[in-house]
Amino acid sequence: MEENANFWSQLNRPIVGLSPMDGVTDPVFRTIVAGCAKPDLMMTEFTNAEGLCHGAEGEMSGLVYNPIERPVVAQIYGANPQAFFHVAQLVCALGFDGLDINMGCPAKAVSARGCGAALIGNPVLAQTIVRQARRGIQAWAEGAAVDDLYARFPNAPWQTHIPIETTRRPIPVSVKTRLGIGQIVIREWIKHLLEVSPAAISIHGRTLSQGYRGLASWDAIGDAVDVARGSGVPILGNGDIASLEEARRRAYEVGVDGVLIGRAALGNPWLFLKVTTARPPEGTSEYMQPIPLKKRLRTAISHARLFEKIRGRARFSAMRKHLGWYCYGFPGAAALRSQIVRVQNSTEVEDLLAPYLTGA
Ligand SMILES: Cc1cc2nc3c(=O)[nH]c(=O)nc-3n(C[C@H](O)[C@H](O)[C@H](O)COP(=O)(O)O)c2cc1C
């Protein structure tokens, strides 16, 4: 039961994962990314622990995944340790490879409730949440009753990827966080986290008040690496990384075990493609791989079709932003974008893109 429990320790360094993005890295996009170029790990969009305990449908859909994403981690946010105890068991039963606790979200709706990045200001609660999540996982690994879980979470996505009893393994609990709330306090903050030994800590190099403004401070991420040295807890850096090559360079320079990349993957599911040529052509990067326009647009169509199949036409408007991200950098792209962000379904997408896909 114990073997393979902690996938983090088995990944090659530097680890390069897809950073979770609410409203973007849904199961459809993650499936497309896995098909184009698989990162070392994927995380779900953040999902609310208390909402899951109340059976909220929207939250439950956050726990859907496709087995080709593995290792796949459920990211959960909240401020109620008891909710984490129960949700951790659900996450195990659904067959996730890990549970990540969001201690980094800056959104007012989240931080005003004491969740996300607000936990940086409440280390005792943050530690209690990690411990309760781990207690839930332990209870599950030791045989907590499946019927109790079905009764507590009747509308969970119980589509069984794997027989439920084979998932009784103690999955790792990790944390994703920021440098501080108003100021950078990562040296002190990370000590509190290290006291509860998460399986990994991912650090977005900005404070809560910064939101997404300014540049991520990789120097401050380096400070966290200093403090964590010798703890055995892998540290992942995050923020403003544009390519796989840059991720590897940063990991080397700053000494992190890995990197999460988010926004650079928008409209670019090939971000994690590593081109291995025996000898990279002079003056080119081993990792640069220009994706031909037709391939990009064909992928946009596949993405739209899969979105429609999984999430339905009624929700198709949530696909439009992805379509806008795929259509850039060619003559007529701006005009095409203004049309494509109004489409109602995948057939309209195919019709609009057809003129760009003719010829060899
Ligand atoms: C639209 C959007 C949604 C996000 N949602 C989440 C989330 O659900 N959970 C999380 O931990 N971080 C979330 N983030 C933060 C990213 O994971 C990442 O930390 C941040 O974008 C910096 O990395 P990047 O510069 O590579 O994008 C989100 C970011 C964006 C832009």
Side-chain angles (χ1 to χ4, degrees):
M1 191 190 290
E2 287 285 334
E3 91 275 19
N4 275 344
N6 185 355
F7 76 88
W8 291 97
S9 61
Q10 290 158 21
L11 297 175
N12 289 332
R13 269 48 174 169
I15 301 164
V16 187
L18 177 64
S19 212
M21 287 179 284
D22 186 38
V24 179
T25 56
D26 65 355
V28 181
F29 182 65
R30 299 194 311 260
T31 297
I32 293 292
V33 171
C36 289
K38 232 177 140 257
D40 293 326
L41 72 115
M42 306 244 202
M43 285 193 198
T44 66
E45 301 157 272
F46 75 159
T47 304
N48 182 235
E50 293 85 354
L52 288 167
C53 288
H54 294 133
E57 299 263 350
E59 298 301 324
M60 288 298 173
S61 63
L63 295 183
V64 173
Y65 66 93
N66 180 334
I68 67 164
E69 297 173 32
R70 291 189 184 284
V72 57
V73 176
Q75 197 195 54
I76 309 293
Y77 75 98
N80 178 340
Q82 192 63 13
F84 275 88
F85 173 75
H86 294 301
V87 167
Q89 297 184 51
L90 173 65
V91 165
C92 290
L94 292 175
F96 280 97
D97 298 297
L99 187 161
D100 188 79
I101 302 176
N102 179 310
M103 300 193 188
C105 180
K108 271 243 160 52
V110 172
S111 61
R113 285 191 280 153
C115 314
L119 285 169
I120 300 172
N122 196 344
V124 174
L125 179 58
Q127 291 182 338
T128 308
I129 286 174
V130 174
R131 290 198 182 100
Q132 286 299 316
R134 214 179 269 136
R135 249 192 74 225
I137 289 166
Q138 204 51 40
W140 173 255
E142 286 169 3
V146 176
D147 287 350
D148 289 352
L149 214 53
Y150 286 147
R152 187 177 291 279
F153 299 106
N155 59 352
W158 290 116
Q159 81 281 30
T160 42
H161 298 308
I162 39 176
I164 198 160
E165 290 301 334
T166 66
T167 67
R168 289 197 182 263
R169 53 180 181 158
I171 62 169
V173 175
S174 54
V175 171
K176 181 167 177 287
T177 189
R178 286 192 177 229
L179 299 177
I181 295 185
Q183 293 174 4
I184 297 179
V185 293
I186 191 65
R187 282 183 169 275
E188 299 76 44
W189 167 230
I190 201 165
K191 281 185 203 151
H192 293 295
L193 290 177
L194 292 170
E195 279 169 18
V196 286
S197 305
I201 303 175
S202 305
I203 305 169
H204 176 188
R206 291 184 174 85
T207 61
L208 180 156
S209 356
Q210 256 184 297
Y212 293 90
R213 289 185 301 275
L215 291 178
S217 169
W218 282 82
D219 286 346
I221 293 171
D223 290 344
V225 171
D226 280 347
V227 178
R229 190 162 292 122
S231 67
V233 177
I235 304 295
L236 279 76
N238 166 242
D240 306 340
I241 299 294
S243 67
L244 189 57
E245 182 185 37
E246 194 185 343
R248 290 179 166 262
R249 183 172 54 76
R250 280 290 195 195
Y252 176 75
E253 286 169 1
V254 180
V256 286
D257 297 271
V259 169
L260 294 180
I261 311 182
R263 289 167 295 178
L266 304 180
N268 183 16
W270 304 272
L271 180 75
F272 300 93
L273 195 64
K274 183 170 185 282
V275 184
T276 40
T277 48
R279 188 191 298 156
E282 202 62 38
T284 65
S285 156
E286 185 190 357
Y287 300 100
M288 297 297 260
Q289 170 75 332
I291 299 297
L293 177 62
K294 281 183 188 166
K295 188 169 174 178
R296 195 187 329 147
L297 298 183
R298 281 199 191 99
T299 301
I301 293 173
S302 309
H303 189 165
R305 284 196 196 124
L306 189 64
F307 188 98
E308 190 168 281
K309 187 169 158 216
I310 294 184
R311 299 194 55 193
R313 277 198 174 188
R315 296 212 175 83
F316 200 79
S317 59
M319 179 65 212
R320 292 171 178 164
K321 56 182 179 291
H322 288 281
L323 295 169
W325 291 326
Y326 283 112
C327 298
Y328 64 89
F330 54 91
L336 179 61
R337 272 200 304 276
S338 68
Q339 287 178 288
I340 210 148
V341 295
R342 290 201 295 268
V343 288
Q344 306 285 345
N345 54 60
S346 64
T347 314
E348 288 183 22
V349 176
E350 286 172 52
D351 291 347
L352 266 178
L353 297 185
Y356 298 88
L357 296 174
T358 51

